[in-house]
Amino acid sequence: MTRIAPLVLLLLTACASDTTLQIRPPDAPITEGDPWVSPPFSGPEDPVRPEDPPGGGGPWGNLNPGDLPQVYFAVAYSDYNCDDVDGDGHDPGEADPETDGALGGDEDGTPDRDDEVEDEEPPDDDGDIWYECPARLAVIDLLGQVIAEFPLPDESDAWTPWSYLSLSPAGPGQFLAVMENYGVVDGQEGDDADADGFWQGRPWHAMRGDAVTGQIDTIARWEIGSGMVQMTATGELIDLGSWNAWANFAIAPTMPDWLMMWAGTTNCSEMQSLRAAHVLGSAPDQVWTSSELLPEDLLPEDGGKPRLWPWNLDAGIDFDGSSRMLLGVSSDGCTDEPGSYELVAWSPEEGPLWHQPAAAEGWTWPPTASWAGHDGGAALELRHGYAPDQQYRLIDAEGVREEPMPADPDIQSRLAGPLIDPEGPTFVTVSRRIQEFDYRDVLEIHHNGEVVWTIDAMRFGLAERRVFFQDVAMLPPLPDQ
């Protein structure tokens, strides 16, 4: 799934994530360039799954460990609960049963920042708790078995100076991760300012991971000195139009060597063009203007540029092997009245294919939608909030339908992950499970209105470890040999 990454958030804020760092077994050594070979499952027990998988028929309605679909996921995860900023084992603002229901922080629900830092909490320079959420990257299969790990610069078994911003599918067997660094990478300090002394935040890096080779490479980064995106291989500087632009990044499966960038601000400026830069500089940039991105009824009648800002850019592939993209545009913020949100299915070769209204207020913020590009394409939105009240929203060329999420007393909330098959519908959620005040994240696969499979831990060879999932993206399949 693509999580939109507004630079105003990337550069000016940090994840409120200050908790105890759990000591974990050391990772198995990873050699860069090792081929992508899935080891046989050797964990101590099977993942949680229903005794009689519901859903009926098809590979997702009757899952069994001996005949699983060949599906692989890129995951961003943390070893501790990034929402538990005060270290009491509960999300901020949640009632703590050990303190008679008091909030996990100050009286107004604001997380405490001056609690005593225990030895196992993340180290820092001034004794305060870290605000960032340290994240790691890996590729797993349906059993939770780790197929490939992707250690980042300056990362160790005990700590990583990287936090997660967005994760999305890229070319065949690849994913695109946008990560923020709060250490020093390539000689660039984390907290830095431009030439005029204006603080521009911490540098983020757009990284392409390849599960076939086991390698991950930085293909672009935020160049603090100039306030622009810099392509790593060529040094090309690309102006996003504003240092606080709402920026979206994607790699289309049929264009694996092109980084797509689409940015804009929420101040009613004219909509910017979508740009694609070749990661090796082997070809000139490609540019699509608003008239090439949007259907006619979303364009101004006077022929000018629409005053819309982009909130989504997601990539998929159709059965015929062509790229299918999901664009999101909004006029919200231009007037005192709530603006509109639209989803547009778009092809780099054919232009706009169809569009439908997206969810308005009461859904996630920042707004997000996951995407499956095949069979005409479809989008998934998930209402934010507690699981008992959640609904999912499936959008395609035929219209919009809303359905309730399955009830589970142990699931507190769910976030939308990749849409696997609109026909099912089959999709993944990152779900927060609570059992006896123990908060854990699981990946749930939903099919035909039921949870048919659950990944509740990651398996590193023989070692099993429960983690906190921040995001998940399904890797595009490799072409038939």
Side-chain angles (χ1 to χ4, degrees):
M1 138 184 138
T2 299
R3 287 191 187 274
I4 37 76
L7 288 182
V8 64
L9 297 179
L10 310 193
L11 303 177
L12 295 181
T13 66
C15 176
S17 54
D18 313 314
T19 62
T20 301
L21 178 66
Q22 301 297 326
I23 304 301
R24 62 181 178 83
D27 295 338
I30 298 296
T31 302
E32 290 191 359
D34 282 352
W36 184 28
V37 179
S38 175
F41 171 66
S42 56
E45 59 184 5
D46 289 342
V48 177
R49 60 183 181 277
E51 292 297 328
D52 298 311
W60 297 104
N62 295 286
L63 291 174
N64 67 82
D67 185 24
L68 293 176
Q70 296 299 306
V71 174
Y72 300 91
F73 300 105
V75 292
Y77 69 95
S78 175
D79 291 301
Y80 68 96
N81 183 5
C82 292
D83 295 326
D84 179 22
V85 295
D86 58 2
D88 67 355
H90 307 279
D91 289 351
E94 297 283 75
D96 185 349
E98 297 181 0
T99 57
D100 297 325
L103 294 176
D106 297 330
E107 292 182 358
D108 62 354
T110 304
D112 293 329
R113 298 295 180 182
D114 56 357
D115 293 345
E116 182 180 353
V117 179
E118 299 179 2
D119 292 340
E120 64 270 27
E121 289 182 337
D124 65 354
D125 295 329
D126 57 8
D128 293 331
I129 301 176
W130 280 98
Y131 282 59
E132 297 81 4
C133 182
R136 303 179 188 273
L137 300 171
V139 168
I140 63 174
D141 62 14
L142 279 172
L143 294 168
Q145 190 76 37
V146 175
I147 306 303
E149 294 182 79
F150 298 90
L152 302 181
D154 299 322
E155 186 172 295
S156 68
D157 289 343
W159 187 246
T160 176
W162 296 89
S163 59
Y164 153 83
L165 294 173
S166 68
L167 188 67
S168 61
Q174 298 177 340
F175 63 89
L176 175 67
V178 181
M179 305 292 287
E180 185 180 41
N181 181 271
Y182 44 92
V184 178
V185 175
D186 299 332
Q188 189 173 34
E189 194 79 29
D191 293 317
D192 211 341
D194 62 11
D196 297 324
F198 184 76
W199 184 74
Q200 291 196 340
R202 298 183 173 96
W204 55 259
H205 297 62
M207 303 174 174
R208 181 175 58 183
D210 192 321
V212 177
T213 64
Q215 294 179 330
I216 188 167
D217 301 300
T218 296
I219 57 178
R221 62 179 291 164
W222 178 246
E223 211 287 322
I224 286 181
S226 65
M228 299 183 182
V229 173
Q230 183 180 52
M231 301 302 294
T232 304
T234 63
E236 175 189 4
L237 294 176
I238 299 174
D239 189 356
L240 294 184
S242 174
W243 68 270
N244 66 342
W246 188 293
N248 304 272
F249 302 89
I251 295 179
T254 57
M255 302 170 60
D257 292 326
W258 295 84
L259 178 63
M260 291 185 168
M261 293 167 277
W262 197 26
T265 60
T266 59
N267 61 0
C268 299
S269 301
E270 294 180 344
M271 192 180 92
Q272 297 185 30
S273 299
L274 171 64
R275 179 181 296 272
H278 197 278
V279 298
L280 298 179
S282 301
D285 292 355
Q286 301 183 56
V287 177
W288 294 269
T289 63
S290 56
S291 62
E292 297 171 301
L293 296 172
L294 303 181
E296 291 186 5
D297 56 345
L298 294 183
L299 297 172
E301 295 181 358
D302 60 8
K305 292 184 177 180
R307 295 189 177 276
L308 300 171
W309 54 275
W311 57 268
N312 196 82
L313 177 64
D314 215 339
I317 192 168
D318 209 340
F319 288 134
D320 62 2
S322 57
S323 289
R324 292 289 184 264
M325 313 288 292
L326 180 68
L327 314 180
V329 294
S330 177
S331 61
D332 198 19
C334 291
T335 65
D336 293 335
E337 299 297 326
S340 63
Y341 286 81
E342 293 284 336
L343 288 170
V344 180
W346 178 78
S347 163
E349 296 80 22
E350 304 173 45
L353 304 173
W354 55 262
H355 73 97
Q356 297 284 2
E361 294 182 3
W363 296 72
T364 58
W365 182 262
T368 60
S370 58
W371 172 246
H374 57 273
D375 201 21
L380 173 72
E381 293 179 298
L382 188 59
R383 183 184 293 275
H384 183 69
Y386 290 102
D389 302 321
Q390 283 190 302
Q391 292 178 302
Y392 70 84
R393 195 168 186 265
L394 196 66
I395 309 108
D396 59 21
E398 303 301 320
V400 179
R401 81 179 195 197
E402 294 183 14
E403 299 288 346
M405 298 292 289
D408 186 334
D410 292 334
I411 297 297
Q412 180 196 36
S413 61
R414 294 181 171 109
L415 299 176
L419 176 58
I420 298 175
D421 182 13
E423 185 67 23
T426 308
F427 56 89
V428 183
T429 61
V430 179
S431 305
R432 175 60 51 90
R433 173 184 286 171
I434 308 175
Q435 292 179 322
E436 297 181 353
F437 304 109
D438 180 25
Y439 287 64
R440 291 294 171 183
D441 287 349
V442 297
L443 301 181
E444 295 181 306
I445 295 182
H446 300 251
H447 174 74
N448 195 24
E450 301 287 346
V451 176
V452 297
W453 196 264
T454 301
I455 303 173
D456 62 355
M458 290 176 62
R459 293 169 169 81
F460 299 80
L462 293 176
E464 177 183 281
R465 188 162 79 244
R466 293 192 300 174
V467 300
F468 293 92
F469 293 103
Q470 297 182 36
D471 202 359
V472 55
M474 188 172 68
L475 299 186
L478 298 174
D480 293 336
Q481 299 298 326

